[in-house]
Amino acid sequence: MAFSRAFIKCSGYKCHRLIVNRLHGFTKINCVALTSTVTGTIVQETCSSAAASKSRRDPLDISFEDYEAAFRSKTLGELLRAYLVYTICSSETIVENNMKLMKAAKAILGDKLFSLAMKLTFYGHFVAGEDQYAIRPVLERLRSFGVKPILDYSVEEDISQEEAEKREVEASVPEAGDKQEQGSLKQYHVAKPFADRRYKVSSARTYFYINEAQCERNMEIFIRCLEAVADYDRHGRKKSKDRATYGTGITAIKLTALGRPQLLLQVSEVIMRTRRYMAEIVGGEGNVLKHHVKPQELEKKLEAAHVNNKDAQAFMKQLTSDKEGILHLFPWSGIIDENQELSSTFRIPDLKTGRMVRLITQLSKREEEMFRNFIRRLDHIVKAAQEMDVRIMVDAEQTYFQPAITRITLEFMRKYNKEKAVVFNTYQCYLRETYNEVTTDLEQAKRQNFYFGAKLVRGAYIEQERARAAALGYPDPTNPNFEATSEMYHKTLTECLRRIKDLKDKGDDMKKIAIMVASHNEDTVRFAIQKMNEIGVLPEDKVICFGQLLGMCDYITFPLGQSGYSAYKYIPYGPVNEVLPYLSRRAQENRGILQKIKKEKRLLLKEIFRRLIRGQIFHTPKGDYVPV
């Protein structure tokens, strides 16, 4: 039995000593405290002996070297499979030609033998199962080791580059033609050399628009994901006789699956042209919120520009403002209103000519209907999520779509995040403007009184973004290197935590800001934990959670979940033959993070040898943890 002793101060209690007895992985808390750091190990518990007795909590080794904790949930066969998969991912030749090799193997072995081979290797390691019923044992086992699910139905079409380009160009050009008039921004128009959005992207799933019927089918798929998460929650509650997983399940969605990309391009351009217009009026750069301009000040500028009084009054009437100034120049809530038309919404007075000008190409009745259908689909998904008590995580996409995606997501936050964060947006920290975007959106949530949910990632499209910017001649939107991206990530996370602390200090609801640290980088995870400790944010406050992909970085996820942090695995599922593009990307991504593979392989070997030496060859994983 190992004894650890630390002295701390526990707020609100006459409790100054924490004794942790650790025997064969079992942790007994004699006296419960806030946070203790003992020889690199963090122990966090609530000041309630009753709560402590209900769920097991292990110390966290923040060096992430505890291989027993990392792989406690795995059988020996699964450990051997993981080691084999990572060894294959270390081969440049195999990874480079992985899709060809899988197709060749399928042709030689036939469907049944190929499926079996994949389940014994890549599919079995990276994918949870073929449908929402087959994945249930995986979800239950994860839950028993303190880890929760983010479900994603990972079926993709395997189409050629030529077909992808053809679909994207056809779906990205308005019926009136791709007219780049004065004031147009070339970034937000389709470029054929980059029409295949899979170009230089290894980690993100890509949807190509076919027709409205396919978008309807994608909506139904997302609804089934929600049902799978909700069913998992109900199943978990029934079995464990508690509500520990209630409202913690998440489904990931992509907005490009739900509508025509042309519409996202056009709305994105409107948003960026609006920002330029505001900068022209008041000077400086950035979002309207940063300027704190009063409506009266804007009205005087319109008068000075000799804008027709009727037009000026109509424009002023649609402004959204509060005591701090203008929030929005346009009624953005209108974009999720089925009775509003985009074409009539985005018109501004030109300060040089005094005339009203349109910021968006005139949309046909058919295109307006397509946009309304896109919004209807998303609203149906979010409403279903709210009713099932499941959260929606909207994935980030390319910068030429992202302004529209963020704006639409924020409007759904404003509509549905009234009592808690149901809808989350995703921010990619390899972008130069991420910190500014997040602080602006946090400010909007504060001023319009809705709960803000965000997933922070490093990002998936950096090489594509750089190549596209260089080819089309607009400024590179990305940070120059990995270090700058990490700095952006930590700076943005620190600002989110600072605002959470402000809420706590004011006695307000800390859950008004909810952040997922979605990272496979252990330095970033350590940074987040240390910042949480500094400001007194506890894991059970449920305002900070951590996420990694299934089959990757188990040495981070499972120790976090087993020590009482809110930990998630991104869980892909789908039929074997239809998730091959997903598996190909996972192989490519693992090739790009060989250092992490090196560490995971080393820890896997240690755990394999430990079990062999101890005779635990037929170890059956049985967890007794309850997720936060």
Side-chain angles (χ1 to χ4, degrees):
M1 179 170 63
F3 243 166
S4 295
R5 184 166 290 162
F7 293 87
I8 65 165
K9 181 178 179 181
C10 185
S11 177
Y13 288 80
K14 293 180 180 179
C15 168
H16 302 283
R17 188 172 67 179
L18 172 66
I19 299 176
V20 182
N21 295 326
R22 197 174 182 196
L23 179 62
H24 300 305
F26 177 76
T27 302
K28 178 183 177 183
I29 305 297
N30 294 41
C31 188
V32 185
L34 194 64
T35 304
S36 171
T37 304
V38 185
T39 61
T41 299
I42 293 178
V43 180
Q44 293 199 317
E45 294 290 338
T46 61
C47 291
S48 165
S49 57
S53 65
K54 276 187 179 180
S55 73
R56 173 176 170 180
R57 293 286 181 265
D58 291 345
L60 175 65
D61 173 14
I62 58 172
S63 69
F64 296 106
E65 290 283 346
D66 188 345
Y67 49 88
E68 187 177 350
F71 305 116
R72 188 176 286 135
S73 66
K74 301 279 193 276
T75 65
L76 181 61
E78 288 166 339
L79 296 179
L80 293 168
R81 180 183 66 192
Y83 191 82
L84 171 65
V85 167
Y86 285 131
T87 300
I88 294 171
C89 287
S90 301
S91 169
E92 189 78 22
T93 303
I94 293 176
V95 171
E96 193 67 37
N97 299 285
N98 74 85
M99 200 63 179
K100 293 177 183 176
L101 291 170
M102 285 193 285
K103 287 180 179 179
K106 184 180 176 183
I108 294 168
L109 297 174
D111 282 345
K112 288 186 178 180
L113 279 178
F114 175 75
S115 293
L116 177 61
M118 293 304 294
K119 287 178 180 179
L120 292 173
T121 53
F122 279 89
Y123 180 92
H125 184 70
F126 290 118
V127 183
E130 300 204 67
D131 56 40
Q132 65 192 75
Y133 305 105
I135 66 176
R136 189 172 291 169
V138 175
L139 301 188
E140 280 301 304
R141 197 197 305 184
L142 287 174
R143 180 187 181 279
S144 71
F145 287 93
V147 177
K148 297 168 286 187
I150 303 172
L151 285 193
D152 179 37
Y153 188 68
S154 295
V155 167
E156 297 179 40
E157 276 191 289
D158 182 21
I159 61 174
S160 68
Q161 178 183 336
E162 291 74 19
E163 177 63 21
E165 288 177 353
K166 180 176 180 291
R167 287 189 193 180
E168 188 71 3
V169 171
E170 289 177 354
S172 298
V173 176
E175 288 186 6
D178 193 19
K179 300 175 182 177
Q180 296 192 38
E181 302 166 347
Q182 185 177 1
S184 291
L185 304 176
K186 62 181 71 176
Q187 181 177 354
Y188 302 99
H189 293 260
V190 67
K192 191 175 186 299
F194 299 93
D196 184 352
R197 287 183 274 116
R198 300 168 301 183
Y199 173 72
K200 289 185 178 292
V201 176
S202 62
S203 60
R205 186 146 55 97
T206 303
Y207 289 92
F208 290 100
Y209 182 85
I210 303 174
N211 51 40
E212 293 295 286
Q214 181 60 51
C215 294
E216 290 290 323
R217 286 192 288 272
N218 289 338
M219 177 190 72
E220 292 300 329
I221 287 169
F222 291 145
I223 295 291
R224 287 202 295 273
C225 283
L226 291 171
E227 290 170 349
V229 174
D231 183 57
Y232 155 74
D233 260 4
R234 286 192 293 269
H235 186 63
R237 287 203 308 277
K238 183 178 179 181
K239 183 176 180 181
S240 63
K241 298 180 181 179
D242 61 42
R243 298 169 67 88
T245 62
Y246 187 74
T248 63
I250 300 174
T251 291
I253 68 170
K254 263 188 161 63
L255 295 202
T256 49
L258 300 174
R260 191 175 170 87
Q262 162 215 340
L263 302 166
L264 291 173
L265 284 170
Q266 288 180 280
V267 173
S268 290
E269 185 172 22
V270 166
I271 292 167
M272 301 313 292
R273 290 182 68 180
T274 301
R275 292 186 184 181
R276 289 195 174 189
Y277 180 73
M278 196 65 190
E280 181 186 341
I281 292 173
V282 299
E285 296 180 357
N287 199 285
V288 175
L289 273 73
K290 292 180 178 288
H291 297 292
H292 299 283
V293 176
K294 303 293 183 183
Q296 298 82 355
E297 297 172 45
L298 180 56
E299 192 168 18
K300 288 178 182 178
K301 289 182 180 289
L302 298 183
E303 288 177 10
H306 304 291
V307 176
N308 177 281
N309 186 57
K310 184 178 179 182
D311 290 335
Q313 290 303 314
F315 181 71
M316 293 299 299
K317 189 176 179 181
Q318 69 182 8
L319 295 178
T320 303
S321 63
D322 61 12
K323 62 181 181 180
E324 294 184 45
I326 297 172
L327 277 156
H328 305 300
L329 293 183
F330 299 112
W332 288 110
S333 58
I335 65 173
I336 64 170
D337 182 347
E338 291 186 22
N339 299 315
Q340 292 281 350
E341 288 192 349
L342 289 178
S343 296
S344 60
T345 300
F346 302 122
R347 298 172 71 242
I348 58 171
D350 189 320
L351 297 183
K352 294 177 181 176
T353 65
R355 297 177 181 176
M356 297 298 289
V357 296
R358 196 184 305 277
L359 292 182
I360 192 169
T361 304
Q362 180 71 46
L363 298 181
S364 67
K365 291 291 183 184
R366 179 169 169 268
E367 288 169 322
E368 290 281 5
E369 183 181 1
M370 284 180 175
F371 188 75
R372 296 273 67 87
N373 285 334
F374 165 61
I375 295 299
R376 172 186 55 77
R377 291 176 195 120
L378 182 55
D379 188 69
H380 187 53
I381 291 167
V382 178
K383 188 175 182 181
Q386 185 183 54
E387 290 172 353
M388 297 179 201
D389 205 8
V390 176
R391 289 178 286 179
I392 289 288
M393 204 155 268
V394 178
D395 282 343
E397 303 195 46
Q398 287 87 348
T399 52
Y400 43 91
F401 293 137
Q402 198 55 46
I405 291 171
T406 294
R407 181 72 264 156
I408 291 166
T409 302
L410 285 169
E411 286 307 313
F412 275 95
M413 281 191 202
R414 196 171 64 83
K415 181 177 180 180
Y416 286 98
N417 289 12
K418 293 180 178 178
E419 297 178 357
K420 69 175 187 176
V422 175
V423 181
F424 281 65
N425 193 25
T426 301
Y427 296 87
Q428 301 188 99
C429 293
Y430 69 68
L431 297 173
R432 295 175 187 268
E433 288 299 311
T434 297
Y435 176 80
N436 293 332
E437 295 289 344
V438 172
T439 53
T440 296
D441 295 345
L442 280 164
E443 189 64 23
Q444 182 178 330
K446 179 182 175 182
R447 286 170 65 173
Q448 295 196 296
N449 196 31
F450 59 84
Y451 283 64
F452 178 79
K455 177 175 71 169
L456 300 182
V457 299
R458 275 180 169 75
Y461 308 99
I462 188 165
E463 289 187 51
Q464 183 188 110
E465 295 284 8
R466 286 174 176 166
R468 191 175 189 269
L472 300 187
Y474 59 85
D476 183 352
T478 69
N479 286 314
N481 51 44
F482 180 81
E483 289 72 25
T485 295
S486 292
E487 183 181 346
M488 178 66 73
Y489 198 121
H490 294 175
K491 179 182 178 183
T492 305
L493 176 58
T494 299
E495 175 62 16
C496 294
L497 284 163
R498 184 191 69 78
R499 288 177 179 252
I500 291 170
K501 184 178 186 299
D502 284 347
L503 291 171
K504 181 180 180 180
D505 291 345
K506 292 173 183 175
D508 207 342
D509 185 1
M510 292 170 66
K511 293 181 182 179
K512 283 187 174 179
I513 300 173
I515 305 297
M516 171 171 278
V517 179
S519 176
H520 295 134
N521 186 289
E522 62 184 79
D523 289 335
T524 291
V525 173
R526 256 191 303 272
F527 178 87
I529 291 170
Q530 289 163 355
K531 285 293 178 184
M532 288 173 68
N533 292 333
E534 285 176 18
I535 67 173
V537 172
L538 300 174
E540 53 267 29
D541 290 329
K542 296 184 181 181
V543 294
I544 300 292
C545 59
F546 299 86
Q548 289 83 36
L549 289 165
L550 184 72
M552 293 176 68
C553 293
D554 286 352
Y555 66 92
I556 294 176
T557 315
F558 284 95
L560 284 172
Q562 290 160 190
S563 61
Y565 286 87
S566 182
Y568 284 86
K569 276 294 191 188
Y570 191 97
I571 310 291
Y573 68 101
V576 175
N577 291 322
E578 296 178 49
V579 297
L580 295 186
Y582 175 86
L583 293 174
S584 176
R585 287 203 318 275
R586 288 288 74 82
Q588 294 279 353
E589 184 170 353
N590 276 290
R591 178 184 61 175
I593 53 173
L594 287 176
Q595 284 303 112
K596 291 185 180 66
I597 289 182
K598 189 176 179 181
K599 178 169 182 176
E600 194 132 12
K601 285 175 68 179
R602 174 170 58 81
L603 295 176
L604 277 165
L605 270 183
K606 285 187 174 182
E607 177 62 9
I608 289 168
F609 284 131
R610 187 192 70 81
R611 293 199 191 177
L612 291 174
I613 290 167
R614 295 196 178 186
Q616 296 177 341
I617 298 173
F618 302 106
H619 165 72
T620 302
K622 289 183 180 179
D624 55 356
Y625 301 87
V626 177
V628 170

